[in-house]
Coordinates of all heavy atoms in Angstrom, one line a residue:
M193 N 11.6 13.7 -10.1 CA 11.2 12.4 -10.4 C 10.4 11.6 -9.3 O 9.7 10.7 -9.6 CB 12.5 11.5 -10.6 CG 13.3 11.8 -12.0 SD 12.3 11.5 -13.4 CE 12.2 9.8 -13.4
S194 N 10.6 12.1 -8.1 CA 9.8 11.5 -7.0 C 8.3 11.6 -7.2 O 7.6 10.7 -6.9 CB 10.3 12.1 -5.7 OG 9.9 13.4 -5.6
V195 N 7.9 12.7 -7.7 CA 6.4 12.9 -8.0 C 5.9 11.9 -9.0 O 5.0 11.2 -8.9 CB 6.2 14.3 -8.5 CG1 4.7 14.5 -9.0 CG2 6.5 15.4 -7.4
L196 N 6.7 11.7 -10.1 CA 6.3 10.8 -11.1 C 6.3 9.4 -10.7 O 5.3 8.7 -10.9 CB 7.3 10.9 -12.4 CG 7.1 10.0 -13.5 CD1 5.8 10.1 -14.1 CD2 8.2 10.1 -14.6
Y197 N 7.2 9.0 -9.9 CA 7.4 7.7 -9.4 C 6.2 7.5 -8.4 O 5.6 6.4 -8.4 CB 8.7 7.4 -8.6 CG 9.9 7.2 -9.5 CD1 11.1 7.9 -9.2 CD2 9.9 6.3 -10.5 CE1 12.2 7.7 -10.0 CE2 11.0 6.0 -11.3 CZ 12.1 6.8 -11.0 OH 13.3 6.6 -11.8
S198 N 5.8 8.4 -7.6 CA 4.7 8.3 -6.7 C 3.4 8.1 -7.4 O 2.6 7.2 -7.0 CB 4.6 9.6 -5.8 OG 5.8 9.7 -5.1
L199 N 3.3 8.8 -8.5 CA 2.0 8.6 -9.3 C 1.9 7.3 -10.0 O 0.9 6.7 -10.2 CB 1.8 9.8 -10.3 CG 1.7 11.2 -9.7 CD1 1.6 12.2 -10.7 CD2 0.4 11.2 -8.8
I200 N 3.1 6.8 -10.5 CA 3.2 5.5 -11.0 C 2.8 4.4 -10.1 O 2.0 3.5 -10.3 CB 4.6 5.3 -11.7 CG1 4.7 6.2 -12.9 CG2 4.7 3.7 -12.0 CD1 6.1 6.0 -13.5
A419 N 8.1 1.4 -7.6 CA 7.9 2.8 -7.9 C 8.0 3.5 -6.6 O 8.6 4.7 -6.6 CB 6.8 3.1 -8.7
N420 N 7.4 3.0 -5.6 CA 7.3 3.6 -4.3 C 8.7 3.8 -3.7 O 9.1 4.8 -3.2 CB 6.4 2.7 -3.3 CG 6.2 3.4 -2.0 OD1 6.6 4.4 -1.6 ND2 5.6 2.7 -1.2
Y422 N 11.5 3.8 -5.4 CA 12.3 4.9 -6.3 C 11.8 6.2 -5.8 O 12.7 7.2 -5.8 CB 12.2 4.5 -7.7 CG 13.1 3.6 -8.3 CD1 12.8 2.2 -8.4 CD2 14.4 4.0 -8.7 CE1 13.7 1.4 -8.9 CE2 15.2 3.1 -9.1 CZ 14.9 1.9 -9.3 OH 15.9 0.8 -9.8
A423 N 10.6 6.4 -5.6 CA 10.1 7.6 -5.0 C 10.7 8.1 -3.7 O 11.1 9.3 -3.5 CB 8.5 7.7 -5.0
L424 N 10.7 7.2 -2.8 CA 11.3 7.4 -1.5 C 12.9 7.7 -1.5 O 13.4 8.5 -0.8 CB 10.9 6.2 -0.6 CG 9.6 6.3 0.1 CD1 9.5 4.9 0.9 CD2 9.4 7.4 1.0
S425 N 13.5 7.1 -2.5 CA 14.9 7.2 -2.6 C 15.3 8.5 -3.2 O 16.5 9.0 -3.0 CB 15.4 6.0 -3.5 OG 15.2 6.2 -4.9
T426 N 14.3 9.3 -3.9 CA 14.6 10.5 -4.5 C 13.9 11.7 -3.8 O 14.1 12.8 -4.2 CB 14.4 10.4 -6.0 OG1 12.9 10.1 -6.2 CG2 15.2 9.5 -6.6
G427 N 12.8 11.4 -3.1 CA 12.0 12.5 -2.5 C 11.8 12.2 -1.1 O 12.1 11.3 -0.5
D428 N 11.1 13.3 -0.5 CA 10.7 13.3 0.9 C 9.5 12.6 1.2 O 8.6 12.5 0.3 CB 10.5 14.7 1.4 CG 11.8 15.6 1.5 OD1 12.9 14.9 1.5 OD2 11.7 16.9 1.5
I431 N 6.1 14.4 1.0 CA 5.6 14.5 -0.4 C 5.1 13.3 -1.1 O 4.0 13.1 -1.6 CB 6.7 15.2 -1.4 CG1 7.0 16.6 -0.8 CG2 6.1 15.3 -2.7 CD1 5.9 17.5 -0.8
V432 N 5.9 12.3 -0.8 CA 5.7 10.9 -1.5 C 4.5 10.2 -1.1 O 3.6 9.8 -1.8 CB 7.0 10.0 -1.4 CG1 6.7 8.6 -1.8 CG2 8.1 10.6 -2.2
L435 N 1.1 11.5 -2.1 CA 0.8 11.3 -3.6 C 0.4 9.9 -3.8 O -0.5 9.6 -4.5 CB 2.0 11.7 -4.4 CG 2.3 13.3 -4.5 CD1 3.6 13.4 -5.2 CD2 1.1 13.9 -5.1
I436 N 1.1 8.9 -3.2 CA 0.8 7.5 -3.4 C -0.6 7.2 -2.7 O -1.4 6.4 -3.3 CB 1.8 6.7 -2.6 CG1 3.2 6.8 -3.4 CG2 1.4 5.2 -2.6 CD1 4.4 6.0 -2.8
R479 N 6.5 20.7 -3.6 CA 7.8 20.1 -4.0 C 8.6 20.9 -4.9 O 9.8 21.1 -4.8 CB 7.5 18.7 -4.6 CG 8.7 17.9 -5.1 CD 9.4 17.4 -3.9 NE 10.6 16.6 -4.2 CZ 11.8 17.0 -4.4 NH1 12.1 18.4 -4.4 NH2 12.8 16.3 -4.7

Side-chain angles (χ1 to χ4, degrees):
M193 289 297 292
S194 61
V195 171
L196 177 60
Y197 285 133
S198 298
L199 295 178
I200 291 174
N420 184 1
Y422 273 96
L424 279 176
S425 71
T426 57
D428 293 338
I431 299 298
V432 170
L435 287 177
I436 293 177
R479 179 68 179 90

